[in-house]
Structure formats: C-alpha cells, structure tokens
Amino acid sequence: MADEKETIKNVRDKYRLFLHEDQAAAAGTIQWRHGDPPSYESVNKLFEQGRTKVWPEGSIEETVQNAIKSWEMELSHKTRIKDFRTINPEKFKLFVNGRDGLSAEETLKVGSYNALLKSSMPDEFKYYNADEETFESSHNAFKSAFPRGFAWEVINVYTGPPVVTYKFRHWGFFEGPFKGHAPTGQMVQFYGLGILKVDESLRAEDVEVYYDPTELFGELLKGPTISESNVEHH
C-alpha cells in the first residue's frame, strides 16, 4: 500500500531506486501499467511534510525505507514480474498477518491493497472484501480517499540484512469519499511491523507484514454515508 497517489510524469525520484533508470529504458523494454513511468511528486511532498524521522543518507534505515518504496512502485506500476528489480521472482513470497504466502505473480495479479487487506473473516463482517475487488478498483478506492497520497515511512530498523526487521508508519488525509463514506478531512494513520529476507543482491525473497487493519478502517468508516451526508445539507 505504500505511498499511493501519483501522476504520470518523468521526473527523477530520490526515494525510489531504479525509477529514473527505468524511465530511460522504458521506451523499449519495460511495460508500465499506465503507459509511462509514474511520478510520486504529490505523495513525496506529503511524506516530507509529515514524516517523523529523517534518516541519514546511506543509513540502514534509509536503505530499507527506499527499498520498500521501490518495491511498492514496481508492484503498482509494472505489469510483468520479469521487469521487477527489487525482488527475487523465483523465491518471493508475501505473508500478511500470518496468512498463507502469495507468490510474486499472485501478488502482482491482486495488487498491493488486496494482498494486504485480504481477511479470513466471514463476508458479513468484512469492512473491505478483497475477494470482490480488482487491482484497479482497490487502487481507485484509496486514491479517492487520499487525494494527496498515502505516505509510508520507516520508524525503526531492528536488524540488518539478510533478515531485516523494521517498524513502519502509513498515513494520509481522508479528503475524498471511500466506499460510500464521506471524508472527514482528518489524518488517518497506522503502524506495523515487517520482516524482510533479502538475497546477496538485496532483492526481497520473503516479506512478512503485521498490522491491525482496524486502525485504518476505523477512521475510514467514521464519515457518514454519502446519502446521509447529502440529506444533512438539504
């Protein structure tokens, strides 16, 4: 889910490895989901204004933070696993809150939001049903809710490679409708833990993510339903 909200624009990105190199190669070798490499100008501004940590250049914290941002960029904007440079495609697995792992192809098919928000709860208790969402519908829902983007930062790194453990923070401002709920204008944020196993080239092999999704949805469902909101203004 990291750092959603971007426009299509060719600019160098200081937080996402390979993006400027991929832009140069994009014309003939890389298939981008929206035709061109993305620009994260808007969410980078949100990140820089709202981050709680500014890590020294070259530190393990900055390295991990940029690596995760780069992986999210590839997952959201590249359509072929063979174009990914941040993962080991043969070994990659994504595990979220102890659920069964998803392969690289499975993660790419469903998208980052659906991979991270899938739940084993009965359908009648799900506030977000990842099984009924597509890659596009899931991204559209969160782009709508967070017009300025959904920023992501590393809060701490506890162990370094080859098994990296870290704490992260995700935040944005709920300024657009979400699944029929009117925006509140308030900041929505949640924290989580990650375990990242990398190979000798620092490509991800296993990614484990642990967080409480109710911290996210508790804020997104606070707003009145759109119909109720409209009635109040008549």
Side-chain angles (χ1 to χ4, degrees), residues 32-86:
W32 297 97
R33 187 170 299 275
H34 302 291
D36 293 293
S39 165
Y40 286 81
E41 184 177 358
S42 176
V43 78
N44 284 349
K45 182 177 181 180
L46 178 69
F47 166 73
E48 291 169 356
Q49 290 174 340
R51 60 185 167 180
T52 61
K53 305 283 187 178
V54 179
W55 299 114
E57 185 175 352
S59 65
I60 182 63
E61 293 87 357
E62 185 207 41
T63 300
V64 171
Q65 182 169 265
N66 290 354
I68 299 294
K69 288 177 182 286
S70 299
W71 171 64
E72 185 279 332
M73 176 273 294
E74 292 195 308
L75 180 59
S76 294
H77 292 282
K78 293 181 178 180
T79 60
R80 304 182 302 188
I81 290 297
K82 72 176 187 178
D83 292 333
F84 280 44
R85 301 173 64 178
T86 58

Side-chain angles (χ1 to χ4, degrees), residues 36-203:
D36 293 293
S39 165
Y40 286 81
E41 184 177 358
S42 176
V43 78
N44 284 349
K45 182 177 181 180
L46 178 69
F47 166 73
E48 291 169 356
Q49 290 174 340
R51 60 185 167 180
T52 61
K53 305 283 187 178
V54 179
W55 299 114
E57 185 175 352
S59 65
I60 182 63
E61 293 87 357
E62 185 207 41
T63 300
V64 171
Q65 182 169 265
N66 290 354
I68 299 294
K69 288 177 182 286
S70 299
W71 171 64
E72 185 279 332
M73 176 273 294
E74 292 195 308
L75 180 59
S76 294
H77 292 282
K78 293 181 178 180
T79 60
R80 304 182 302 188
I81 290 297
K82 72 176 187 178
D83 292 333
F84 280 44
R85 301 173 64 178
T86 58
I87 69 171
N88 183 329
E90 291 79 22
K91 294 184 177 181
F92 180 84
K93 286 282 188 179
L94 173 64
F95 302 87
V96 180
N97 288 339
R99 296 194 302 270
D100 292 340
L102 296 175
S103 69
E105 289 288 355
E106 289 171 330
T107 305
L108 179 62
K109 180 180 179 180
V110 300
S112 55
Y113 283 111
N114 288 333
L116 291 165
L117 295 172
K118 187 176 177 62
S119 171
S120 57
M121 294 175 64
D123 286 352
E124 60 267 29
F125 297 117
K126 290 180 180 178
Y127 26 72
Y128 178 93
N129 193 337
D131 294 328
E132 296 180 354
E133 301 286 345
T134 65
F135 184 110
E136 290 76 15
S137 69
S138 63
H139 278 253
N140 289 340
F142 284 92
K143 285 180 181 180
S144 169
F146 301 114
R148 285 190 279 163
F150 201 26
W152 189 93
E153 70 171 334
V154 161
I155 297 296
N156 210 339
V157 174
Y158 304 107
T159 61
V163 180
V164 181
T165 56
Y166 59 93
K167 182 179 181 180
F168 66 87
R169 171 179 173 248
H170 225 328
W171 78 99
F173 288 87
F174 184 19
E175 296 168 329
F178 177 80
K179 294 290 184 181
H181 287 266
T184 63
Q186 297 177 346
M187 184 173 70
V188 175
Q189 67 176 350
F190 66 89
Y191 293 83
L193 296 173
I195 304 173
L196 175 66
K197 181 181 179 182
V198 298
D199 64 14
E200 64 278 1
S201 300
L202 297 181
R203 297 181 304 168

